[in-house]
Amino acid sequence: MRDILPALGDWYTAGHPFGLATVVAVSRSAPRDPGAAMAVGPGDEAVGSVSGGCVEGAVFELAKEVVESGRARLETFGYSDEDAFAVGLTCGGEITLLVRPVTRETEPAFAAVAESVAAGRPVTVATVTDGPARVGATLAVWPEEVSGTLGATGLDVAVTADARGELALGATGLRHYGPHGERREDAVTVFLHSFAPPPRMLVFGAIDYAAAVARIGGFLGYRVTVCDARPVFATPKRFPEAVEVVVDWPHRYLRGTDTDERTVICVLTHDPKFDVPLLEEALRRPAAYIGAMGSRRTHDERMERLVESGLTESELSRLRSPVGLDLGARTPEEVAVSVAAEIVALRWGGSGAPLTVTGGTIHPST
């Protein structure tokens, strides 16, 4: 979708309607992931791909049809043993596409979305794919504003909250709601397409706890890097497949690495020669979360060294140490859950208290 947005923006600016097909769900060995897109515009020009060639001909015709009718369609393509000549995926997988018409009237926020993506500003586009709400209705959600409607105020509120959650992780996928945004109902299906790179999780210290934290970080949608100066411990074999493993002095690696307001930094070395210079660097740069492992005695000694290094009270207040919430965790996996819980609570302003002792809404609007 990012690749074809410049062409779509030109068509939109010139006032040319176009049909946009987006992969919203896949199964088995489907060739493209959710978010892949193809569009057909003026002069029957086609850009993008949804399957690598298997069903593009059929999608081309569908895109033209939705422009003519003005109505979006949800279509599924798979492999059929009964009809070898039917349009389908030769890989044996299945893809579901939402094909919708895009005009200035139907999607007034499209230009703003395209501009945000081009500029690297995060935005999520929520689109109804099924249910009593109008299929193809869109809601554009930025961290601080929204544009458009899915047809019901309650649905807009619920989807906006979820869209910002997905945007924080750079995640894309389907969500289900009641007609007015009710949770735990599935009358309305909405595709949340996030245009943001996944946030980074930097884990320092190649120990068993780091492997568990890296695993849960990947589960939460982070792009995880584990760094340690000791090559005997920092080996890909010790960590999940999707995790990048770097052998370098932690503070030197961090100094040469970009971070932003979504970056999570977990310092699990609990060795002063590693973690003090590392935390000096971390606490002076943008990050959403900076946590350090260690006992309370280790924490006190570490804080003394950091004060001596010249860090201010404001900078030191960003440090979450000892790392994690008080869950009574013992094993590396339990500690990883404790760390993940603290990261989530800090991101959304959660108290970390049991819901049984709190009041108000469980999912407040954001």
Side-chain angles (χ1 to χ4, degrees), residues 303-332:
M303 291 296 285
E304 290 178 5
R305 291 170 180 260
L306 291 173
V307 169
E308 292 172 359
S309 71
L311 286 167
T312 66
E313 184 175 342
S314 174
E315 290 167 337
L316 291 171
S317 68
R318 302 175 62 205
L319 178 61
R320 316 292 288 193
S321 173
V323 69
L325 297 184
D326 181 14
L327 304 182
R330 294 290 187 273
T331 68

CSV table of all heavy atoms in Angstrom, one decimal, residues 303-332:
chain,number,residue,atom,x,y,z
A,303,MET,N,21.7,3.9,41.3
A,303,MET,CA,21.3,5.2,41.4
A,303,MET,C,22.4,6.2,41.9
A,303,MET,O,22.5,7.3,41.3
A,303,MET,CB,20.0,5.4,42.3
A,303,MET,CG,18.8,4.7,41.7
A,303,MET,SD,18.2,5.5,40.2
A,303,MET,CE,17.5,7.0,40.8
A,304,GLU,N,23.2,5.7,42.8
A,304,GLU,CA,24.3,6.5,43.3
A,304,GLU,C,25.3,6.8,42.2
A,304,GLU,O,25.7,7.9,42.0
A,304,GLU,CB,25.0,5.8,44.5
A,304,GLU,CG,24.1,5.8,45.8
A,304,GLU,CD,24.9,5.0,46.9
A,304,GLU,OE1,26.0,4.6,46.6
A,304,GLU,OE2,24.3,4.8,47.9
A,305,ARG,N,25.6,5.8,41.4
A,305,ARG,CA,26.5,5.9,40.3
A,305,ARG,C,26.0,6.9,39.2
A,305,ARG,O,26.7,7.6,38.6
A,305,ARG,CB,26.9,4.6,39.7
A,305,ARG,CG,27.7,3.7,40.7
A,305,ARG,CD,27.8,2.3,40.1
A,305,ARG,NE,28.5,1.4,40.9
A,305,ARG,CZ,29.8,1.0,40.7
A,305,ARG,NH1,30.5,1.6,39.7
A,305,ARG,NH2,30.4,0.2,41.5
A,306,LEU,N,24.7,6.7,39.0
A,306,LEU,CA,24.0,7.6,38.0
A,306,LEU,C,24.0,9.0,38.4
A,306,LEU,O,24.2,9.9,37.6
A,306,LEU,CB,22.6,7.1,37.6
A,306,LEU,CG,22.6,5.7,36.9
A,306,LEU,CD1,21.2,5.2,36.8
A,306,LEU,CD2,23.2,5.8,35.5
A,307,VAL,N,23.8,9.3,39.7
A,307,VAL,CA,23.8,10.7,40.2
A,307,VAL,C,25.2,11.2,40.0
A,307,VAL,O,25.4,12.4,39.6
A,307,VAL,CB,23.3,10.7,41.7
A,307,VAL,CG1,23.6,12.1,42.3
A,307,VAL,CG2,21.9,10.4,41.8
A,308,GLU,N,26.2,10.4,40.4
A,308,GLU,CA,27.6,10.8,40.2
A,308,GLU,C,28.0,11.1,38.8
A,308,GLU,O,28.8,12.0,38.5
A,308,GLU,CB,28.5,9.8,40.8
A,308,GLU,CG,28.4,9.6,42.3
A,308,GLU,CD,29.2,8.4,42.8
A,308,GLU,OE1,29.8,7.7,41.9
A,308,GLU,OE2,29.2,8.1,44.0
A,309,SER,N,27.3,10.5,37.9
A,309,SER,CA,27.6,10.7,36.4
A,309,SER,C,27.0,12.0,35.9
A,309,SER,O,27.2,12.3,34.8
A,309,SER,CB,27.1,9.5,35.6
A,309,SER,OG,25.7,9.5,35.6
A,310,GLY,N,26.1,12.6,36.7
A,310,GLY,CA,25.6,13.9,36.3
A,310,GLY,C,24.1,13.9,35.8
A,310,GLY,O,23.6,14.9,35.3
A,311,LEU,N,23.5,12.8,35.9
A,311,LEU,CA,22.1,12.7,35.4
A,311,LEU,C,21.2,13.5,36.4
A,311,LEU,O,21.4,13.5,37.6
A,311,LEU,CB,21.6,11.3,35.4
A,311,LEU,CG,22.1,10.4,34.2
A,311,LEU,CD1,21.8,9.0,34.5
A,311,LEU,CD2,21.5,10.9,32.9
A,312,THR,N,20.2,14.2,35.8
A,312,THR,CA,19.3,15.1,36.6
A,312,THR,C,18.2,14.2,37.3
A,312,THR,O,18.0,13.1,36.9
A,312,THR,CB,18.7,16.1,35.7
A,312,THR,OG1,17.8,15.5,34.8
A,312,THR,CG2,19.7,17.0,35.0
A,313,GLU,N,17.5,14.9,38.2
A,313,GLU,CA,16.4,14.2,38.9
A,313,GLU,C,15.3,13.8,37.9
A,313,GLU,O,14.7,12.8,37.9
A,313,GLU,CB,15.8,15.1,40.0
A,313,GLU,CG,14.7,14.4,40.8
A,313,GLU,CD,14.3,15.3,41.9
A,313,GLU,OE1,15.0,16.2,42.3
A,313,GLU,OE2,13.2,15.1,42.4
A,314,SER,N,15.1,14.7,36.9
A,314,SER,CA,14.1,14.5,35.9
A,314,SER,C,14.4,13.3,35.0
A,314,SER,O,13.6,12.4,34.7
A,314,SER,CB,13.9,15.7,35.0
A,314,SER,OG,13.0,15.5,33.9
A,315,GLU,N,15.7,13.2,34.6
A,315,GLU,CA,16.2,12.1,33.8
A,315,GLU,C,16.1,10.8,34.6
A,315,GLU,O,15.6,9.7,34.1
A,315,GLU,CB,17.6,12.3,33.3
A,315,GLU,CG,17.7,13.4,32.3
A,315,GLU,CD,19.1,13.9,32.1
A,315,GLU,OE1,20.0,13.7,33.0
A,315,GLU,OE2,19.4,14.5,31.0
A,316,LEU,N,16.5,10.8,35.9
A,316,LEU,CA,16.4,9.6,36.7
A,316,LEU,C,15.0,9.1,36.9
A,316,LEU,O,14.8,7.9,37.1
A,316,LEU,CB,17.1,9.8,38.0
A,316,LEU,CG,18.7,10.0,37.9
A,316,LEU,CD1,19.2,10.5,39.3
A,316,LEU,CD2,19.3,8.7,37.5
A,317,SER,N,14.0,10.0,36.9
A,317,SER,CA,12.6,9.7,37.2
A,317,SER,C,12.1,8.8,36.1
A,317,SER,O,11.0,8.1,36.3
A,317,SER,CB,11.8,10.9,37.4
A,317,SER,OG,11.7,11.6,36.1
A,318,ARG,N,12.7,8.7,34.9
A,318,ARG,CA,12.2,7.9,33.8
A,318,ARG,C,12.6,6.4,34.0
A,318,ARG,O,12.0,5.6,33.3
A,318,ARG,CB,12.8,8.4,32.5
A,318,ARG,CG,12.5,9.9,32.2
A,318,ARG,CD,13.2,10.3,30.9
A,318,ARG,NE,12.8,9.5,29.8
A,318,ARG,CZ,13.6,9.3,28.7
A,318,ARG,NH1,14.8,9.8,28.6
A,318,ARG,NH2,13.1,8.5,27.7
A,319,LEU,N,13.5,6.1,34.9
A,319,LEU,CA,13.9,4.8,35.1
A,319,LEU,C,13.0,3.9,35.9
A,319,LEU,O,12.6,4.3,37.0
A,319,LEU,CB,15.3,4.8,35.8
A,319,LEU,CG,15.9,3.4,36.1
A,319,LEU,CD1,16.2,2.6,34.8
A,319,LEU,CD2,17.2,3.6,36.8
A,320,ARG,N,12.6,2.8,35.3
A,320,ARG,CA,11.7,1.8,36.0
A,320,ARG,C,12.6,0.7,36.6
A,320,ARG,O,13.1,-0.2,35.9
A,320,ARG,CB,10.7,1.2,35.1
A,320,ARG,CG,10.0,2.2,34.1
A,320,ARG,CD,9.1,3.2,34.9
A,320,ARG,NE,7.9,2.5,35.3
A,320,ARG,CZ,6.8,3.1,35.7
A,320,ARG,NH1,6.8,4.5,35.8
A,320,ARG,NH2,5.7,2.5,36.1
A,321,SER,N,12.9,0.8,37.9
A,321,SER,CA,13.8,-0.1,38.5
A,321,SER,C,13.5,-0.2,40.0
A,321,SER,O,13.2,0.8,40.7
A,321,SER,CB,15.2,0.5,38.4
A,321,SER,OG,16.2,-0.3,39.1
A,322,PRO,N,13.4,-1.5,40.5
A,322,PRO,CA,13.6,-2.7,39.7
A,322,PRO,C,12.5,-2.9,38.7
A,322,PRO,O,11.4,-2.5,38.9
A,322,PRO,CB,13.5,-3.8,40.8
A,322,PRO,CG,13.8,-3.1,42.1
A,322,PRO,CD,13.3,-1.7,41.9
A,323,VAL,N,12.8,-3.5,37.6
A,323,VAL,CA,12.0,-3.6,36.4
A,323,VAL,C,10.7,-4.5,36.7
A,323,VAL,O,10.8,-5.5,37.5
A,323,VAL,CB,12.8,-4.2,35.2
A,323,VAL,CG1,13.1,-5.7,35.5
A,323,VAL,CG2,12.1,-4.0,33.9
A,324,GLY,N,9.6,-4.1,36.1
A,324,GLY,CA,8.4,-5.0,36.2
A,324,GLY,C,7.4,-4.6,37.3
A,324,GLY,O,7.7,-3.8,38.2
A,325,LEU,N,6.2,-5.2,37.2
A,325,LEU,CA,5.2,-5.1,38.2
A,325,LEU,C,5.3,-6.2,39.2
A,325,LEU,O,5.9,-7.2,39.0
A,325,LEU,CB,3.8,-5.1,37.6
A,325,LEU,CG,3.4,-4.1,36.6
A,325,LEU,CD1,2.0,-4.2,36.1
A,325,LEU,CD2,3.7,-2.7,37.2
A,326,ASP,N,4.8,-5.9,40.4
A,326,ASP,CA,4.9,-6.9,41.5
A,326,ASP,C,3.9,-8.0,41.3
A,326,ASP,O,2.7,-7.9,41.8
A,326,ASP,CB,4.6,-6.2,42.8
A,326,ASP,CG,4.7,-7.1,44.0
A,326,ASP,OD1,5.2,-8.3,43.9
A,326,ASP,OD2,4.3,-6.7,45.1
A,327,LEU,N,4.3,-9.1,40.6
A,327,LEU,CA,3.4,-10.2,40.4
A,327,LEU,C,3.8,-11.4,41.2
A,327,LEU,O,3.2,-12.5,41.1
A,327,LEU,CB,3.4,-10.6,38.9
A,327,LEU,CG,3.0,-9.5,37.9
A,327,LEU,CD1,3.0,-10.1,36.4
A,327,LEU,CD2,1.6,-8.9,38.2
A,328,GLY,N,4.9,-11.3,41.9
A,328,GLY,CA,5.5,-12.4,42.6
A,328,GLY,C,6.2,-13.4,41.6
A,328,GLY,O,6.3,-14.6,41.9
A,329,ALA,N,6.7,-12.8,40.5
A,329,ALA,CA,7.3,-13.6,39.5
A,329,ALA,C,8.6,-14.3,39.9
A,329,ALA,O,9.4,-13.7,40.7
A,329,ALA,CB,7.5,-12.8,38.2
A,330,ARG,N,8.8,-15.5,39.4
A,330,ARG,CA,10.1,-16.2,39.8
A,330,ARG,C,10.8,-16.7,38.6
A,330,ARG,O,12.0,-16.4,38.4
A,330,ARG,CB,9.7,-17.5,40.6
A,330,ARG,CG,9.1,-17.1,42.0
A,330,ARG,CD,10.2,-16.5,43.0
A,330,ARG,NE,9.6,-16.4,44.3
A,330,ARG,CZ,9.0,-15.3,44.7
A,330,ARG,NH1,8.7,-14.3,43.9
A,330,ARG,NH2,8.6,-15.3,46.0
A,331,THR,N,10.2,-17.3,37.6
A,331,THR,CA,10.9,-17.9,36.5
A,331,THR,C,11.1,-16.8,35.4
A,331,THR,O,10.5,-15.7,35.5
A,331,THR,CB,10.0,-19.0,35.8
A,331,THR,OG1,8.8,-18.4,35.3
A,331,THR,CG2,9.6,-20.0,36.8
A,332,PRO,N,12.0,-17.0,34.5
A,332,PRO,CA,12.2,-16.0,33.4
A,332,PRO,C,10.9,-15.7,32.7
A,332,PRO,O,10.7,-14.5,32.4
A,332,PRO,CB,13.2,-16.7,32.5
A,332,PRO,CG,14.0,-17.6,33.4
A,332,PRO,CD,13.0,-18.1,34.4
